[in-house]
Amino acid sequence: MLSRTALIYLSRHEGLKDFAARFSLFKRLTTRFVAGENIDEAIAAIRELNHEGCSASFDHLNESVANAAEADEEVKEYLQILRQIDETGINSNVSIKLTQFGLELDPELAYKNARAVVAEAASRGNFCRVDMEASAVTQKTIDIFKRLRAEFELNDVGIVLQSYLRRTYADAEALVKLPARIRICKGAYNEPAEVAFPDKKDVDENYVRVMQLLLASGTYHGIATHDPKMIDATIEFSEREGIPKEAFEFQMLYGIRRDLQRQLAKDGYNMRVYVPYGKHWYPYFMRRLAERPANIWFVLKNTLKG
Ligand SMILES: Cc1cc2nc3c(=O)[nH]c(=O)nc-3n(C[C@H](O)[C@H](O)[C@H](O)COP(=O)(O)OP(=O)(O)OC[C@H]3O[C@@H](n4cnc5c(N)ncnc54)[C@H](O)[C@@H]3O)c2cc1C
């Protein structure tokens, strides 16, 4: 069985996608986690989610662009998404990655590009979430987010923190003081033990600590997880502290634990589904397999069944 580390390693070698994508089987595997290759397919998926009582967040898949022109194309794509959200009336915000806007080429370029998208979202009364990527860019991502947050309102732009990072509790304490809207997740990259807890138990404990800090802060945050233990801890804490259901939202990824997504929405919780789409689905897809290598067999089994 391929390990998590091996799958994350493979996720960074997009050249393999061209090889893998020749097999229609592999292509079909991706449709479980990726809503399609273009905006219209993603909109159709979001309409269905809205119908089930869930809101959404668009994610155009294209990490680590190679040059400024590609980053500019990403900005255009997001401006188009924001326009189409308004035109179609779907319930969705957007999530961006700063490497998609050129962070690895020039942080100033990434800031300007992200600023253009946040400004558009703000002018439309929508919201832009800055995703968190590998630890090599954590500080740069927080620095750019703080500049954006200084220029825009609380409900215009938010950030993500990962409970596997040792630094995250301190980051959460500092960011809630701004205040800032935070999505807490466990973290999806391969990180060394110096920066991230190697044991799942510590990642989960830290998740619960950060979740409690966020919920107690009085700001509207996102609790992103498919883990029933984290969800139960959130519900238990909010009920104990008298925090109303409308004061936060649960978030999950497209195609993962749909049963739980529907159940939480039915129980009156705000439920947002992160909807990735685009041609560059390979690294995202491989990270999802890495989270649960058993998915390879699940998908293969279902694909073979036809
Ligand atoms: C809305 C959202 C946004 C995210 N944004 C970021 C981000 O900006 N940066 C970042 O590093 N990470 C991000 N992630 C990914 C996150 O860090 C985790 O890698 C991912 O959510 C798995 O962790 P978990 O909390 O579900 O718990 P886990 O302990 O990994 O899983 C708990 C249970 O959930 C189910 N499950 C989890 N993953 C899968 C899967 N792939 N397939 C099938 N079942 C699964 C299984 O039943 C599993 O037992 C995001 C996740 C979500 C939900």
Side-chain angles (χ1 to χ4, degrees), residues 32-33 97 130-133 160 162 164 183 185-189 200 204 207 224-228 230 251-253 256-257 272 274 287-289 291-292 295:
R32 178 164 143 80
F33 302 119
K97 286 187 171 51
V130 181
D131 282 353
M132 190 56 81
E133 302 177 70
V160 179
Q162 302 149 319
Y164 65 11
R183 171 200 298 151
C185 65
K186 290 192 188 179
Y189 299 81
K200 183 170 163 44
D204 289 357
Y207 190 101
T225 183
H226 317 90
D227 186 343
M230 302 299 109
Q251 300 182 349
M252 292 191 203
L253 301 177
I256 300 182
R257 294 303 311 263
R272 187 176 299 279
Y274 183 98
R287 285 200 302 275
R288 299 294 79 81
L289 291 187
E291 275 154 15
R292 196 162 170 260
N295 276 337

Side-chain angles (χ1 to χ4, degrees), residues 127 149 152-158 178-181 219-221:
F127 175 78
R149 179 63 191 89
F152 295 93
E153 300 295 324
L154 174 67
N155 287 327
D156 297 336
V157 60
L178 286 178
R181 281 175 58 175
T219 297
Y220 187 87
H221 297 292

